[in-house]
Amino acid sequence: MPTITDERRATIREIICDILELDDDEVTDTSLFIDDHGADSLRAIEILASLEKEFGITIEQSELSEMVNLERVYKVVAEAPGR
């Protein structure tokens, strides 16, 4: 399984907290964006686009359903092909 650096994890957390308008301590690796934080599909697309831009990767739209919490986002980003 691909790994992800601590620096990249911190950047991902920062992007997600910014988009979901949450403080860092409100989000855990396993808290659910929709159920626990009230995110909607528009925010999910915004997260996807921001991650692609930040890391120069391509994330398929079909991966959105996998990106339910930080843990899963780390996995998707680690496995995403570069452009």
Side-chain angles (χ1 to χ4, degrees):
M1 181 171 105
T3 58
I4 191 163
T5 65
D6 288 342
E7 182 180 333
R8 195 168 264 210
R9 283 178 183 265
T11 302
I12 291 168
R13 176 182 283 274
E14 186 179 313
I15 288 168
I16 289 171
C17 287
D18 185 50
I19 291 171
L20 298 182
E21 299 175 1
L22 298 168
D23 291 329
D24 186 61
D25 61 354
E26 292 180 86
V27 180
T28 67
D29 284 355
T30 57
S31 62
L32 301 172
F33 300 147
I34 294 172
D35 296 344
D36 297 330
H37 304 298
D40 57 20
S41 58
L42 185 59
R43 299 262 172 125
I45 292 168
E46 195 175 340
I47 289 169
L48 184 143
S50 294
L51 293 171
E52 286 184 328
K53 182 178 179 185
E54 177 70 28
F55 299 118
I57 57 176
T58 300
I59 301 172
E60 297 298 323
Q61 291 279 336
S62 61
E63 296 286 343
L64 274 176
S65 63
E66 296 291 318
M67 297 168 60
V68 296
N69 59 28
L70 273 174
E71 203 171 70
R72 299 299 294 246
V73 172
Y74 297 150
K75 181 178 183 296
V76 167
V77 169
E79 294 174 350
R83 293 191 188 135

